[in-house]
């Protein structure tokens, strides 16, 4: 199952959610790895460990190499009643979950083939998503979409 969640701020999302293992093993930490053509273009080689400082710079729309802005839109915050609301999508959390029965078999039976098959399927899904990646281009009131074919992605494997 694939679940997508849009993040408009995500200031603590890496430390509170992505790096935590799961509720069965709360003390264990998960190390993320960079994936995607966009990551490669920024010098974040595939398989390179996700460093919190770099993740946070990307979240804030900052190129971690040059310190320059990555996209046109920066994060501006406005009041909506009692809450503050961001107008920029910082990132999407895309969760690719194996069916519970597969997860149980992989863990209880110790069948690493199931874990490997899930990892392969998840990376395949990411590659297909990257092929379809687009950016919205606005010229005045006219809006269009252009294929980019690249993503900056971080993979966090949770048991």
């Amino acid at each position: 199952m694939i679940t997508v969640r849009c993040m408009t701020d995500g200031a603590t999302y890496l430390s509170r959610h992505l790096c935590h293992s799961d509720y069965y093993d709360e003390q264990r930490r998960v190390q993320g790895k960079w994936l995607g053509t966009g990551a490669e273009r920024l010098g974040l080689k595939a398989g390179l460990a996700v460093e919190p400082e770099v993740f946070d710079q990307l979240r804030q729309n900052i190129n971690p190499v040059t310190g320059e802005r990555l996209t046109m839109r920066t994060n501006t915050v406005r009041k909506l009643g009692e809450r503050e609301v961001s107008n920029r999508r910082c990132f999407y959390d895309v969760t690719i979950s194996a069916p519970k029965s597969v997860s149980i078999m992989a863990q209880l039976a110790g069948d690493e083939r199931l874990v490997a098959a899930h990892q392969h399927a998840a990376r395949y899904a990411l590659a297909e998503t990257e092929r379809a990646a687009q950016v919205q281009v606005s010229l005045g009131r006219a809006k269009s979409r252009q294929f980019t074919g690249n993503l900056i992605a971080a993979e966090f494997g949770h048991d």
Side-chain angles (χ1 to χ4, degrees):
M1 178 169 59
I2 298 176
T3 307
V4 180
R5 181 174 177 207
C6 176
M7 304 304 293
T8 55
D9 179 33
T12 61
Y13 205 71
L14 178 69
S15 62
R16 288 189 173 185
H17 301 287
L18 298 176
C19 289
H20 276 284
S21 181
D22 60 28
Y23 51 88
Y24 294 115
D25 190 8
E26 292 179 8
Q27 302 307 314
R28 190 169 145 250
R29 304 293 288 166
V30 176
Q31 178 62 61
K33 296 177 189 149
W34 293 112
L35 296 172
T37 306
E40 291 273 342
R41 289 175 61 189
L42 289 177
L44 306 171
K45 303 291 182 207
L48 187 69
V50 172
E51 295 176 3
E53 303 79 31
V54 173
F55 185 90
D56 201 53
Q57 286 175 315
L58 292 171
R59 181 189 68 78
Q60 294 179 57
N61 197 34
I62 298 170
N63 183 322
V65 176
T66 66
E68 296 174 348
R69 192 168 61 182
L70 286 168
T71 65
M72 293 301 293
R73 182 177 279 188
T74 57
N75 198 22
T76 58
V77 177
R78 63 184 170 84
K79 282 283 208 185
L80 183 65
E82 293 295 313
R83 326 183 278 147
E84 291 185 340
V85 178
S86 172
N87 74 337
R88 180 178 167 271
R89 294 176 182 99
C90 294
F91 59 88
Y92 291 90
D93 180 359
V94 179
T95 303
I96 303 173
S97 305
K100 193 62 81 178
S101 59
V102 172
S103 299
I104 290 171
M105 286 302 296
Q107 293 299 311
L108 294 180
D111 193 340
E112 290 297 317
R113 295 174 303 165
L114 294 172
V115 174
H118 176 67
Q119 287 174 339
H120 177 75
R123 288 188 181 155
Y124 182 83
L126 176 70
E128 288 299 308
T129 302
E130 185 169 46
R131 277 184 354 113
Q134 299 177 28
V135 64
Q136 179 175 293
V137 178
S138 300
L139 294 171
R141 290 182 174 222
K143 295 184 190 303
S144 65
R145 298 194 187 277
Q146 294 179 355
F147 284 95
T148 63
N150 72 72
L151 294 175
I152 300 169
E155 173 187 55
F156 293 84
H158 295 267
D159 295 337

